[in-house]
Amino acid sequence: MENTKTPNIQIDGKTFPLSDLGDNAKAQVQNLAIVDAEIKRLQTLIGIATAAQQSFIAALRTELNKPSA
């Protein structure tokens, strides 16, 4: 016999089985999943941009510290 666990969502300290939610609530859960994925993607891009920014600053610092020709 399979031991399947019903997926739940927790909001404001209360746990709700997804199977008990209405269509509108399920749509909002799906919207939250999409937004969470987008936030994660954007945080990754911010990390990449921040690393590039630091590299550009280091390159500029090197250029500015070169002796004048």
Side-chain angles (χ1 to χ4, degrees), residues 2-5 9-10 14 17 20 22-24 32-33 35 39 42-43 47-48 59-62 64:
E2 273 186 44
N3 184 11
T4 58
K5 188 175 180 181
I9 185 163
Q10 189 171 8
K14 297 178 185 176
D20 290 353
D23 289 343
N24 288 336
L32 283 170
V35 169
I39 288 170
L42 291 170
Q43 287 172 332
I48 292 167
L60 177 59
R61 187 176 289 121
T62 299
L64 293 175

Side-chain angles (χ1 to χ4, degrees), residues 62-69:
T62 299
E63 286 299 314
L64 293 175
N65 287 324
K66 283 184 178 179
S68 298

